[in-house]
Amino acid sequence: MDTPRSILVVQLRRLGDVILTTPALEALKNKYPAAKLDFLTEAPGAQAVAGHPAIDEVLVYDARGVADAVRWALKIRARRYDWVVDFLANPRTALLCALSGAKVKAGPAHVARRWAYNHHMHQSPQACYAALEKVRWLSGLGVSASDAPELPRLTLAQRPELIENIIGLVPPSRKETRRWPAASYARLGQLLRDKHGCRLKVFWGPGEKDLAAEVVRAIGAGASAIPETPTIAALARELVACRVVVANCAGPKHLAVALGVPTVTIHSSSDPASWTPPHPDHRFARLSELHCIGCGLNECPYNLECLSRLAPERVLPLVSELLDRTAVRS
């Protein structure tokens, strides 16, 4: 396999998956520093990786129909990449890769669309942190784990050495089976305020303002919702001002990790081995004793017991441990 002069990495969506791809991008750049490394993603992901030192050019994929998809396939082919690495492997990206003309067309071996690739990337036999898993997929391309950072890293906002006594709560999630109840977030906020004297910032995004307002009202004194964040950079600036962020398994949690903010993640249908890094600054809470925990389902046959039965008092010590590790501005 010849050393590449140009590489295109593809991960169109979602925000968390894009962020979890950044260690693989750094690993490729460290292994092949002379190669031009481009990244194809959709608009939210493009905002997240803006200015990332491993990426030479971000291509913002905006296809809305067949004609646009064909236009993108021709555009990629005209760039004459030596390697195309497709981490998403959906129908559009598989076809784009197949038509790219690249000498190496790399994609996952376990998907139905593996016909599109002449180099298959294989899953690890046991679940591991998704960012590391993406790096391991590149082993057949000469990349090793030592070429990658331990955690995703983004440069959207600088985390100050000393911060105010603020804890972030992120109650939204697009998946019901990953959404800890608003009442549980509110109770945790009250416990944290009473024990640590902290203020609570409640995060929200498009269509989630009412949920944030519900949590703020239930917490009462010391709680407020963040202002609207029209860009990922604006969201990042709100996150880095927090000592700790408590979140569901969703994009803002991954953004916090990449910004160096300690996190506690509420896991239910999702597997912490895959989505929370094995790092002392990042903890998780879940009812591991349930037989169905980590099911991966988007609809629950058991009335969401993994979420409704997870008591805030069980999450509080995890947040307290992380607070002990952070320096606070008086």
Side-chain angles (χ1 to χ4, degrees), residues 114-260:
R114 57 186 175 273
W115 56 265
Y117 314 109
N118 61 14
H119 176 86
H120 291 146
M121 302 187 294
H122 295 274
Q123 283 186 310
S124 302
Q126 292 184 327
C128 69
Y129 182 45
L132 174 59
E133 177 71 358
K134 289 174 181 286
V135 174
R136 288 180 174 179
W137 280 14
L138 300 174
S139 61
L141 297 175
V143 173
S144 67
S146 62
D147 295 314
E150 184 179 12
L151 297 172
R153 298 186 292 196
L154 294 178
T155 58
L156 295 173
Q158 185 67 39
R159 182 166 169 79
E161 291 186 9
L162 296 177
I163 57 179
E164 295 183 34
N165 192 16
I166 298 172
I167 297 175
L169 303 178
V170 192
S173 174
R174 64 185 179 87
K175 295 183 179 181
E176 182 185 38
T177 53
R178 296 189 182 187
R179 194 184 309 133
W180 201 34
S184 298
Y185 271 104
R187 176 59 180 157
L188 177 64
Q190 293 172 340
L191 293 170
L192 288 167
R193 178 197 60 204
D194 295 345
K195 181 175 181 179
H196 297 285
C198 57
R199 290 189 287 129
L200 291 307
K201 284 203 309 186
V202 182
F203 286 72
W204 59 280
E208 301 162 346
K209 189 173 184 179
D210 289 346
L211 173 61
E214 178 185 353
V215 175
V216 169
R217 283 194 303 271
I219 294 174
S224 62
I226 65 167
E228 184 176 6
T229 51
T231 65
I232 302 300
L235 175 59
R237 288 191 292 272
E238 294 290 340
L239 287 168
V240 295
C242 298
R243 291 178 68 189
V244 176
V245 166
V246 183
N248 301 315
C249 186
K253 167 265 181 74
H254 299 297
L255 182 58
V257 171
L259 293 168

Side-chain angles (χ1 to χ4, degrees), residues 257-278:
V257 171
L259 293 168
V261 181
T263 63
V264 173
T265 304
I266 307 300
H267 278 286
S268 47
S269 65
S270 58
D271 183 359
S274 296
W275 303 111
T276 292

Side-chain angles (χ1 to χ4, degrees), residues 29-60:
K29 195 65 173 179
N30 288 334
K31 183 65 178 180
Y32 304 108
K36 184 177 187 291
L37 181 60
D38 295 347
F39 188 45
L40 179 65
T41 187
E42 293 176 344
Q47 291 182 40
V49 299
H52 197 287
I55 303 172
D56 291 300
E57 185 176 358
V58 177
L59 308 179
V60 184

Side-chain angles (χ1 to χ4, degrees), residues 301-324:
Y302 300 110
N303 299 315
L304 298 171
E305 291 183 28
C306 57
L307 293 164
S308 62
R309 288 174 50 190
L310 179 61
E313 289 79 5
R314 190 161 173 169
V315 181
L316 177 64
L318 300 172
V319 184
S320 297
E321 290 171 11
L322 291 178
L323 290 174
D324 290 341

